């Protein structure tokens, strides 16, 4: 039985054509059964040639089977969209970087022949990544969702102070007053939380980090809690609304909204090719150990 590989992307431009064509040719040469997300196929069908029409998934297409792997074509933002698309379907994700930093998308769009061969030969590892389950009061009652990186609470108007009462497993931690607060997974620790001074957590840390954003009291620092913790945030603001960030998207919610956060019952699988690992990603993406003195 041939390997089944899906392709997902959220946007397409001409600079991606050569890499995508090389990818399709590599998959076809290896006898891979190709799936393409419907919206993405509509974007690329005039530019990228297929020896035979690929299977279409998503967009209400009838799916008798699912891919063994899903290639996320783009940057880290595209990979977050891929996670939202898959939910709990337990399909390993291979991030193909055609963006900029690409901390989650660990392989480049070049040399796709070798990457496809590594998948076929089993020369990869799979990292299990935990996610957050989020509940909050929306306009239509209680809303629920899951995120891979972080939940962020932020003021949505300048020159206002957002106050957030934080409870961990029912115990009051503190009231954070400032621009906002981030609750991040180990995966999200290298994203927005890191830029706000949060620590880097390894994927198997089994914890979350709460990172304040421009906090009014300078004694506040990021705090790490176990991923078994149930976190409750009760917000206060002098304005009527605030911004609730959920991975790469955000929504405006009433300033008196209460948010409950816990570990999601399922996670995702990220594929690392060859000898790649989390520490090699730190060296490559954050340029640790690079001597720039010369």
């Amino acid at each position: 039985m041939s390997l089944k590989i899906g392709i997902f992307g959220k946007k397409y431009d001409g600079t991606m054509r050569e890499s995508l064509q090389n990818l399709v040719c590599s998959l076809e040469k290896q006898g891979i059964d190709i799936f393409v997300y419907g919206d993405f196929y509509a974007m690329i069908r005039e530019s990228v040639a297929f020896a035979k029409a690929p299977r279409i998934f998503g967009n209400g297409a009838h799916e008798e089977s699912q891919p063994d792997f899903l290639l996320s074509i783009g940057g880290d933002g595209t990979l977050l969209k891929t996670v939202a698309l898959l939910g709990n379907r337990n399909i390993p994700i291979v991030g193909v970087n055609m963006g900029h930093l690409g901390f989650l998308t660990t392989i480049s769009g070049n040399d796709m022949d070798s990457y496809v061969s590594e998948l076929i030969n089993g020369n990869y590892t799979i990292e299990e990544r935990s996610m957050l389950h989020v509940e909050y009061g929306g306009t239509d009652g209680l809303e629920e969702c899951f995120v891979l990186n972080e939940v962020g609470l932020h003021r949505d108007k300048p020159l206002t102070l957002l106050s957030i009462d934080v409870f961990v497993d029912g115990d009051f931690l503190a009231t954070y007053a400032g621009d906002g607060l981030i609750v991040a997974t180990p995966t999200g620790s290298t994203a927005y939380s890191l830029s706000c001074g949060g620590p880097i957590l390894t994927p198997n840390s089994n914890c979350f980090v709460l990172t304040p954003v421009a906090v009014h009291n300078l004694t506040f620092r990021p705090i790490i809690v176990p991923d078994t913790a149930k976190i409750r945030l009760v917000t206060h603001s002098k304005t009527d609304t605030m911004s609730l960030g959920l991975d790469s998207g955000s929504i405006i919610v009433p300033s008196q909204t209460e948010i409950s956060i816990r570990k999601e019952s399922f996670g995702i699988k990220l594929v690392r090719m060859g000898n790649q690992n989390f520490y090699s990603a730190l060296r490559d993406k954050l340029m640790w150990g690079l001597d720039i003195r010369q």
Side-chain angles (χ1 to χ4, degrees):
M1 183 180 297
S2 65
L3 195 65
K4 301 186 291 291
I5 292 181
I7 300 173
F8 172 82
K10 68 175 185 177
K11 63 181 181 180
Y12 171 76
D13 61 57
T15 62
M16 301 167 64
R17 193 199 68 81
E18 183 177 354
S19 294
L20 276 172
Q21 188 63 72
N22 290 339
L23 169 61
V24 170
C25 290
S26 297
L27 294 175
E28 291 177 336
K29 183 168 60 177
Q30 298 281 5
I32 302 295
D33 196 0
I34 303 175
F35 293 62
V36 184
Y37 184 67
D39 284 350
F40 192 56
Y41 183 62
M43 298 177 199
I44 68 174
R45 62 186 303 172
E46 300 298 327
S47 302
V48 179
F50 291 79
K52 68 174 184 178
R55 297 198 203 187
I56 304 301
F57 72 98
N59 310 104
H62 179 63
E63 300 174 28
E64 295 179 352
S65 62
Q66 64 181 23
D68 299 307
F69 297 92
L70 186 58
L71 303 183
S72 176
I73 310 295
D76 284 358
T78 302
L79 192 139
L80 293 176
K81 292 289 186 182
T82 308
V83 171
L85 170 72
L86 289 182
N88 62 354
R89 293 169 68 178
N90 203 35
I91 301 174
I93 302 171
V94 183
V96 181
N97 184 25
M98 294 188 182
H100 298 289
L101 178 63
F103 201 92
L104 297 175
T105 48
T106 55
I107 69 174
S108 71
N110 303 318
D111 198 18
M112 291 309 303
D113 277 342
S114 63
Y115 294 133
V116 172
S117 295
E118 287 182 348
L119 277 178
I120 292 174
N121 296 325
N123 187 22
Y124 60 85
T125 57
I126 291 180
E127 292 180 351
E128 302 281 350
R129 300 295 184 100
S130 59
M131 297 198 292
L132 297 172
H133 182 91
V134 188
E135 297 179 358
Y136 61 95
T139 55
D140 298 323
L142 186 67
E143 302 281 352
E144 298 183 67
C145 65
F146 60 85
V147 296
L148 173 63
N149 270 356
E150 75 269 313
V151 177
L153 292 177
H154 313 284
R155 60 181 189 172
D156 67 332
K157 294 179 176 64
L159 305 179
T160 59
L161 198 66
L162 181 61
S163 295
I164 307 168
D165 297 335
V166 180
F167 299 83
V168 179
D169 286 332
D171 293 326
F172 177 64
L173 172 61
T175 298
Y176 289 71
D179 284 2
L181 178 70
I182 302 163
V183 181
T185 64
T187 301
S189 72
T190 55
Y192 189 20
S193 174
L194 180 63
S195 69
C196 292
I200 293 176
L201 307 176
T202 58
N204 58 351
S205 295
N206 298 322
C207 57
F208 302 136
V209 60
L210 282 67
T211 305
V213 181
V215 69
H216 187 64
N217 188 328
L218 297 183
T219 62
F220 279 120
R221 290 294 181 266
I223 183 170
I224 295 171
V225 299
D227 65 7
T228 55
K230 293 179 173 58
I231 302 166
R232 184 165 63 95
L233 310 177
V234 182
T235 61
H236 313 276
S237 177
K238 292 182 179 180
T239 60
D240 295 333
T241 58
M242 65 177 181
S243 175
L244 174 60
L246 301 167
D247 275 349
S248 58
S250 64
I251 56 175
I252 301 299
V253 297
S255 61
Q256 304 304 315
T257 299
E258 183 172 318
I259 298 99
S260 297
I261 303 169
R262 58 177 169 79
K263 184 178 180 179
E264 184 54 272
S265 59
F266 58 90
I268 67 158
K269 296 179 177 179
L270 287 186
V271 177
R272 295 280 188 185
M273 306 304 299
N275 295 321
Q276 293 178 343
N277 56 54
F278 180 75
Y279 302 109
S280 67
L282 288 179
R283 293 193 302 273
D284 294 342
K285 304 298 183 178
L286 301 183
M287 295 181 288
W288 281 11
L290 179 66
D291 190 346
I292 60 174
R293 292 173 295 179
Q294 297 180 354

